[in-house]
Amino acid sequence: MVEYTPYSKKTWSEHLNVSRPSLFRELKILCTQQVIRIRNKEILILKEDALIDILNN
């Protein structure tokens, strides 16, 4: 199942209280692992199960 998040990277970084470069670095890793895809201001979740596994570890 493919879903878009309703938030931009800027909004995520503000909500998580992390710098945008740090968040972007981690998002880039997830892109490399083909868990997500970033399109403009949207984050496309490609593998929800893999993302949940990463977040739980």
Side-chain angles (χ1 to χ4, degrees), residues 4-47:
Y4 284 100
T5 62
Y7 308 107
S8 68
K9 293 176 291 223
K10 180 181 180 217
T11 302
W12 269 35
S13 65
E14 290 170 353
H15 180 73
L16 296 170
N17 198 29
V18 297
S19 69
R20 285 178 58 210
S22 295
L23 176 63
F24 191 75
R25 183 173 43 252
E26 295 302 319
L27 291 175
K28 196 169 186 178
I29 291 168
L30 292 172
C31 284
T32 302
Q33 296 172 346
Q34 296 182 347
V35 175
I36 64 169
R37 181 181 306 143
I38 297 173
R39 285 188 190 166
N40 301 320
K41 293 183 179 182
E42 296 177 320
I43 300 169
L44 177 66
I45 300 170
L46 301 172
K47 299 177 184 173

